[in-house]
Amino acid sequence: MRIKSHVVLSLEEESLIESVYSIVKPKYRIKCNGDLYIMDMFTDSVEYQTLMEFLERNPATSKNEVFTETYDDKELAQALLLQMIPNAYQGGYPQPESGTLETKYISVSFDRSNACPYCTKGIIQDRPLRLRNNIKLGRQSDISGIWWLRDYVISGRLKDLILEEGLTGCEIWPVIMHGADKPFEDLFQLKFTGELPAMAPETNIILDPTMNHPKACSPGTRLEGPVIYRRDDLIDIPDFALSKEWFGGNGAYWRWPFMSQRAYQLFKRNKIKGIRWSLPKIID
């Protein structure tokens, strides 16, 4: 595994700009948008470390970094379990996206009868999701995320591949065009029905009071460090499954989606694009 940093710098002084270019290029590409300079760099590279040292001595007007884990083909091919992370949210926002809890998308597509009345913890989807009429997947993507949710929309091509392979732990649901009130023809929901066992006790799950909703049933829940599972607990898991644990805060809690090695191999063979993966730590 390597860590990639998406670095966004605001630079105004010409001398700083020239120095950053001399450090980063030619190995890494720099995108320029006004006074913003954007680059993706591996944190173990000499260029990244040199740049960070330079910025300590010569601070940029502003600096922002987002870190992501990257894995090589061998690591992915040996993984027992892969956490799914969308590259984009082409599904847009679930509809209706405004209104009260009783009128917006949560009540339109989910059963809240056994859930917390003040947050999403415990809700169960029992009706198709509704999205804006103009949602479509691009040519380069067969799967994409939906804002606010941990669900995925997929193309008809990927739907057929999943059904032909007989992957478990999922159902294919229609998605409704909210304005037209009819199903999309080539857009479907990958509905997770599988559930993973509890994460290993070594997983550092933090209850964070700063993420509390004043009336929610539990404090905010986040993770510090890796997701950890015991190897024996992952025997005969479904191909798609949600975590048993709920994560989130401020009224929005969701379970995380995972896929098996079998599902990953289907995606790899057919060059499915649109998601990336994070690998849990597996212990004996």
Side-chain angles (χ1 to χ4, degrees):
M1 180 188 73
R2 300 179 73 189
I3 303 297
K4 180 180 287 187
S5 174
H6 181 71
V7 185
V8 180
L9 301 176
S10 176
L11 301 171
E12 297 177 355
E13 295 182 21
E14 191 66 32
S15 61
L16 288 181
I17 296 170
E18 292 177 358
S19 295
V20 168
Y21 268 87
S22 68
I23 293 170
V24 173
K25 298 190 77 174
K27 185 171 183 178
Y28 293 107
R29 180 185 175 192
I30 299 178
K31 298 178 183 178
C32 180
N33 183 5
D35 66 347
L36 296 180
Y37 295 82
I38 305 163
M39 58 214 81
D40 293 297
M41 311 174 69
F42 285 111
T43 59
D44 59 358
S45 68
V46 172
E47 290 79 6
Y48 175 84
Q49 294 167 11
T50 302
L51 178 63
M52 293 301 108
E53 291 171 359
F54 173 79
L55 292 174
E56 284 185 10
R57 301 190 303 270
N58 304 275
T61 305
S62 66
K63 176 171 77 77
N64 183 62
E65 285 188 87
V66 176
F67 299 98
T68 56
E69 300 172 349
T70 63
Y71 302 87
D72 61 30
D73 289 343
K74 183 178 180 180
E75 289 174 305
L76 294 171
Q78 293 176 342
L80 292 178
L81 186 68
L82 304 92
Q83 183 179 349
M84 301 169 64
I85 303 171
N87 288 338
Y89 293 86
Q90 292 173 272
Y93 292 92
Q95 301 296 309
E97 61 186 89
S98 60
T100 66
L101 194 61
E102 288 72 25
T103 60
K104 62 194 304 186
Y105 71 96
I106 290 176
S107 290
V108 170
S109 297
F110 294 85
D111 177 10
R112 296 175 49 236
S113 59
N114 294 312
C116 172
Y118 303 108
C119 72
T120 60
K121 197 169 187 178
I123 64 173
I124 298 173
Q125 186 185 350
D126 61 351
R127 284 152 288 170
L129 292 174
R130 305 176 75 88
L131 300 177
R132 291 185 180 274
N133 292 4
N134 60 349
I135 300 298
K136 62 174 68 175
L137 293 181
R139 287 185 183 180
Q140 303 301 317
S141 178
D142 282 294
I143 182 170
S144 192
I146 304 168
W147 287 112
W148 298 340
L149 305 178
R150 297 299 180 269
D151 294 278
Y152 288 88
V153 287
I154 61 174
S155 66
R157 171 177 176 256
L158 181 52
K159 176 203 73 165
D160 292 341
L161 290 169
I162 289 172
L163 293 176
E164 289 169 6
E165 188 73 11
L167 296 184
T168 61
C170 67
E171 296 174 352
I172 306 297
W173 281 29
V175 178
I176 306 300
M177 290 189 283
H178 185 57
D181 198 29
K182 64 180 182 180
F184 286 87
E185 292 184 0
D186 196 41
L187 190 74
F188 303 88
Q189 181 189 355
L190 178 62
K191 176 71 172 65
F192 286 71
T193 59
E195 181 179 270
L196 289 173
M199 296 176 185
E202 291 84 351
T203 305
N204 191 16
I205 298 175
I206 304 296
L207 300 182
D208 188 343
T210 66
M211 300 166 62
N212 282 5
H213 182 281
K215 295 184 178 180
C217 59
S218 62
T221 307
R222 60 182 176 83
L223 200 64
E224 281 192 359
V227 172
I228 305 174
Y229 282 99
R230 294 197 178 280
R231 189 178 306 275
D232 289 347
D233 291 339
L234 299 180
I235 297 172
D236 296 328
I237 58 170
D239 293 308
F240 294 101
L242 297 173
S243 63
K244 182 179 288 290
E245 298 80 4
W246 294 73
F247 293 93
N250 299 316
Y253 296 82
W254 304 101
R255 299 192 291 167
W256 289 349
F258 292 80
M259 64 162 43
S260 69
Q261 179 61 216
R262 180 183 177 213
Y264 168 73
Q265 288 298 331
L266 176 73
F267 277 47
K268 182 175 175 59
R269 286 197 308 272
N270 293 279
K271 299 180 180 179
I272 299 299
K273 296 181 179 179
I275 62 170
R276 62 187 190 274
W277 295 273
S278 178
L279 302 187
K281 182 178 179 181
I282 308 300
I283 61 175
D284 293 316

